[in-house]
Amino acid sequence: VSVAQDRLIEKTLLAETGIPVAEFYSIESLQDLHDLAKHETLPFIIKTRRFGYDGKGQALFKETHQAAHIWSALGEVPMIAEKIVRFSRELSLIAVRNLSGEVVFYPLCENRHENGILAQTRSCSEPALQKVAEEYACKILDRYNYVGVLTIEFFDCEGKLLVNEIAPRVHNSGHWTIEASVTSQFENHIRAILNLPLGSTDIYSEFIMYNLVSCMPSMMEMLSIRNTHVHDYNKTQSPRRKLGHVTLCPVTADSKNRLEKLLTE
Amino acid sequence: VSVAQDRLIEKTLLAETGIPVAEFYSIESLQDLHDLAKHETLPFIIKTRRFGYDGKGQALFKETHQAAHIWSALGEVPMIAEKIVRFSRELSLIAVRNLSGEVVFYPLCENRHENGILAQTRSCSEPALQKVAEEYACKILDRYNYVGVLTIEFFDCEGKLLVNEIAPRVHNSGHWTIEASVTSQFENHIRAILNLPLGSTDIYSEFIMYNLVSCMPSMMEMLSIRNTHVHDYNKTQSPRRKLGHVTLCPVTADSKNRLEKLLTE
């Protein structure tokens, strides 16, 4: 956990383990930002090393003159500068390892973000990428003798996978496993830490999971759409806050259209 | 509920609603049992009118001389005598009706009993019987303006359905809906009583649900079999007590064989 809580340590150890990641630099001072702009080609994404999520603690460093503002806005704390990579999509791999070392993987899924927050996760079938993603995941799991669910976010750069982030836990981009998989990420996490045999990660059907951000649509309307599975976290509405999610499974064109219309109203 | 709690009232009202049931008689005294043996052809099954479940409060009346023993063994309370019908199997229909009158049905499933206790429920596809069962269910739901999940147990008598029992609640023979259906019987019951739109009753896959009766097999061994979904009710072991259930979904020949071997050990 301490590794994944510090973006710089995480990226350094991934690179050492032979996992491809985007080019990155440690930023310890305003001078480091100036040096970065001098020696490298902007833009870079600047992130605080700790306590960032949902796009918080991040800034885009496009022009040299932004250095002082970014240093101050992110709190003058240790940061990491990551080279912006061109990617066609973000993929997640949910991996599970139990105490005995048994390992299972869910099928890769595709994430879509809006304003830095995960908006959708949908099924995709990518046998070639799946194989590569699982190889990288095995290296990470073995390296840390990891037990439980681990989520790895990849950038798909024209068929080449770069690891963006690892999350040592059940993950928002795996919530679809509750309905779409034979065994959910939550059940497999419990099985893993109790050293029970891991459950099948096969999926029953294609799916799309939609996060409910900022405001909750009408429960009545969501449930009137066939094959919706609504999860209301019962939180107070607030801008950019994840209040719940809806998984559509199985996916039908009619349900997808109606639900996406409702969610953009 | 009061109707379904009294077997005689239940059977009388079903018959009045035009639903086929096995021939039945009210038994109010030992003399009634003697008269039954005199005027009808035994065997009959004798059941207390109230508080019977899992084969309790029942006796098989095969020979005239058993009358006094049965009258005493069942507690000298009001009873119902039901003609034994020859049936090839028992089927359950889980029906749901919400406050607005919207109605959905799960696919018919087949029940297997051992020693009077439900042992297995498995998927079956019977479009012709499904149609008839749903017609009977509609009559019952409408007659009582019923809201929530209602379970109807049928005898399949060479393709003719007789209603054996109605249970005004979520039912053991519907526990497979948790994993095998798009919407579980529990979620649909809550939707029904909150007057929300009912969820799809489509199934993802074939299934078999096994009750765990009298003793719990090893959790480790059950979970090592692919596609098992284990539910442990965390009850004290006791003969003839339902301690949990396992749903196999999807069903594979290998998992079925291994699980059935484990459960008969």
Side-chain angles (χ1 to χ4, degrees), chain A residues 194-214:
Chain A
L194 297 178
N195 205 22
L196 290 164
L198 299 179
S200 164
T201 55
D202 289 349
I203 63 172
Y204 289 121
S205 158
E206 292 191 357
F207 61 83
I208 310 176
M209 185 210 69
Y210 301 87
N211 270 337
L212 302 173
V213 180
S214 305

Side-chain angles (χ1 to χ4, degrees), chain A residues 20-23 83-91 129 154-164:
Chain A
V21 293
E23 199 181 322
K83 181 82 180 160
I84 300 273
V85 296
R86 295 203 177 279
F87 60 93
S88 50
R89 54 182 177 170
E90 190 194 276
L91 301 171
L129 293 181
F154 294 97
F155 293 134
D156 177 4
C157 306
E158 293 178 4
K160 185 173 179 296
L161 294 182
L162 292 188
V163 170
N164 175 35

Side-chain angles (χ1 to χ4, degrees), chain A residues 72-85:
Chain A
S72 144
L74 294 187
E76 307 187 2
V77 293
M79 302 171 195
I80 179 173
E82 294 176 9
K83 181 82 180 160
I84 300 273
V85 296

Side-chain angles (χ1 to χ4, degrees), chain A residues 95-121:
Chain A
V96 199
R97 185 173 181 276
N98 75 5
L99 267 165
S100 303
E102 184 192 355
V103 171
V104 294
F105 303 99
Y106 288 87
L108 279 169
C109 50
E110 183 180 338
N111 301 324
R112 298 187 184 181
H113 290 80
E114 281 168 21
N115 306 316
I117 301 178
L118 181 65
Q120 289 181 25
T121 299

Side-chain angles (χ1 to χ4, degrees), chain B residues 52-155:
Chain B
Y53 68 98
D54 286 353
K56 288 169 190 162
Q58 301 193 2
L60 186 60
F61 188 21
K62 286 201 295 196
E63 319 239 2
T64 312
H65 69 83
Q66 294 175 303
H69 176 71
I70 289 172
W71 177 248
S72 146
L74 293 187
E76 307 186 2
V77 293
M79 302 172 194
I80 180 172
E82 294 177 7
K83 181 81 180 160
I84 300 272
V85 296
R86 296 201 178 281
F87 60 93
S88 50
R89 55 182 176 168
E90 190 195 277
L91 300 171
S92 279
L93 183 73
I94 316 286
V96 198
R97 185 173 181 276
N98 74 6
L99 268 165
S100 304
E102 183 192 355
V103 172
V104 295
F105 304 99
Y106 288 88
L108 277 170
C109 50
E110 183 180 336
N111 301 324
R112 298 186 184 182
H113 291 80
E114 281 168 21
N115 307 315
I117 301 178
L118 182 65
Q120 289 181 25
T121 298
R122 54 177 68 201
S123 45
C124 62
S125 178
E126 297 287 354
L129 293 180
Q130 182 81 27
K131 193 161 169 285
V132 175
E134 291 185 7
E135 277 166 21
Y136 294 160
C138 280
K139 284 188 184 175
I140 297 168
L141 293 169
D142 288 348
R143 163 80 197 242
Y144 298 106
N145 204 17
Y146 188 85
V147 174
V149 166
L150 179 92
T151 307
I152 308 176
E153 292 175 12
F154 295 96
F155 293 136

Side-chain angles (χ1 to χ4, degrees), chain A residues 137-239:
Chain A
C138 280
K139 284 188 184 176
I140 297 168
L141 292 169
D142 289 349
R143 163 80 197 246
Y144 298 107
N145 203 18
Y146 187 85
V147 174
V149 166
L150 180 92
T151 307
I152 308 177
E153 291 175 11
F154 294 97
F155 293 134
D156 177 4
C157 306
E158 293 178 4
K160 185 173 179 296
L161 294 182
L162 292 188
V163 170
N164 175 35
E165 221 170 273
I166 57 177
R169 52 177 167 82
V170 292
H171 194 260
N172 188 178
S173 69
H175 285 354
W176 53 269
T177 61
I178 298 169
E179 290 91 8
S181 301
V182 173
T183 316
S184 77
Q185 64 171 346
F186 300 96
E187 178 171 341
N188 261 337
H189 184 73
I190 300 298
R191 291 194 190 205
I193 61 180
L194 297 178
N195 205 22
L196 290 164
L198 299 179
S200 164
T201 55
D202 289 349
I203 63 172
Y204 289 121
S205 158
E206 292 191 357
F207 61 83
I208 310 176
M209 185 210 69
Y210 301 87
N211 270 337
L212 302 173
V213 180
S214 305
C215 66
M216 279 297 282
S218 144
M219 182 62 80
M220 183 68 87
E221 294 202 48
M222 286 190 285
L223 293 180
S224 74
I225 300 169
R226 195 170 179 87
N227 300 343
T228 51
H229 304 271
V230 180
H231 298 260
D232 182 346
Y233 307 156
N234 206 17
K235 288 184 181 172
T236 309
Q237 297 201 1
S238 157

